[in-house]
Amino acid sequence: ILNGSNQWEKLSEQEREQIRQTVWQKNVQELALLEETNKLGLTVTDEELINYLKDVNFQTSSQEVQFMLMVGAAFGGTPTIEGYQQFLKNYDKLVQQLAQSSPEMLELVQNAKRACAYVENKLKMSILQDKYMILMQGSFISNPIAAKALFNEAHTMYDVEIAAVAYDSISEEGLTVTDEEYKELYKK
């Protein structure tokens, strides 16, 4: 966004490098997330995004979401997802009208649409990351040995016979325990 603009030139080399590193790390994280979620078949639909935006509280939402809703207010009347959807629906017609009447306003509207597309993508990545994390938290990790032991525990049957005799019904006559037997039992 800043590249090629006056603002980019005003930054020190260290600040530019920090921005490059941040962007690089973000891209790597997104690519890794996309690779893993694609393997699992996880996606975020437009309907899920709309439902997310419908549930958002304007006052507590991020600045990006507030921006999208304000675009909706500017072109749809109210800062709601419905206003934003109205903006998207009428965007092509609006561009045609502004191309003839107001090139400055046209550029503003085009920039707003690009910014909204960026925020939509960012929100979809956030929702996708949440879905992935919920899936991972709900799963468990097992190695083959532990899995086999759990399987055997669940699927092995034992025949057991139990006999119960009241302790006080056993006569102590004829029972003798030597010191050596005590020592043997103690060692066990």
Side-chain angles (χ1 to χ4, degrees), residues 101-115:
S101 62
S102 176
E104 298 85 20
M105 188 67 165
L106 172 64
E107 184 179 354
L108 178 70
V109 169
Q110 288 172 330
N111 286 339
K113 173 82 169 22
R114 276 193 293 273

Side-chain angles (χ1 to χ4, degrees), residues 143-188:
N143 62 43
I145 295 169
K148 185 175 180 181
L150 285 172
F151 177 83
N152 288 339
E153 270 183 38
H155 294 90
T156 302
M157 302 282 273
Y158 297 99
D159 289 327
V160 178
E161 291 182 29
I162 299 175
V165 178
Y167 175 75
D168 60 355
S169 68
I170 300 173
S171 170
E172 291 184 22
E173 269 183 44
L175 290 177
T176 57
V177 181
T178 65
D179 287 341
E180 188 145 323
E181 288 175 321
Y182 277 124
K183 288 179 183 177
E184 280 295 318
L185 286 173
Y186 184 74
K187 288 180 184 178
K188 289 182 182 181

Side-chain angles (χ1 to χ4, degrees), residues 12-13 52-53 55 63 66 74 99 101 103 117-118 161 173 182:
S12 70
E13 188 57 39
Y52 173 84
L53 289 170
D55 291 340
Q63 288 180 341
Q66 287 179 6
S101 62
Y118 171 78
E161 291 182 29
E173 269 183 44
Y182 277 124

Side-chain angles (χ1 to χ4, degrees), residues 46-60:
D46 289 338
E47 184 179 342
E48 287 174 305
L49 179 64
I50 298 298
N51 288 338
Y52 173 84
L53 289 170
K54 282 181 180 178
D55 291 340
V56 164
N57 180 337
F58 182 77
Q59 279 75 26
T60 61

Side-chain angles (χ1 to χ4, degrees), residues 5-13 15-16:
S5 72
N6 252 354
Q7 295 162 341
W8 180 255
E9 300 302 323
K10 292 178 183 176
L11 297 174
S12 70
E13 188 57 39
E15 290 169 325
R16 286 187 231 165

Side-chain angles (χ1 to χ4, degrees), residues 93-155:
K93 189 188 317 180
L94 183 61
V95 165
Q96 288 175 351
Q97 290 172 350
L98 292 174
Q100 297 171 5
S101 62
S102 176
E104 298 85 20
M105 188 67 165
L106 172 64
E107 184 179 354
L108 178 70
V109 169
Q110 288 172 330
N111 286 339
K113 173 82 169 22
R114 276 193 293 273
C116 287
Y118 171 78
V119 172
E120 277 189 30
N121 186 47
K122 187 175 173 182
L123 287 174
K124 282 185 174 183
M125 288 301 294
S126 176
I127 294 168
L128 187 62
Q129 183 175 10
D130 289 347
K131 281 180 153 184
Y132 182 73
M133 294 307 294
I134 289 168
L135 181 65
M136 290 297 108
Q137 289 170 352
S139 64
F140 65 94
I141 299 172
S142 177
N143 62 43
I145 295 169
K148 185 175 180 181
L150 285 172
F151 177 83
N152 288 339
E153 270 183 38
H155 294 90

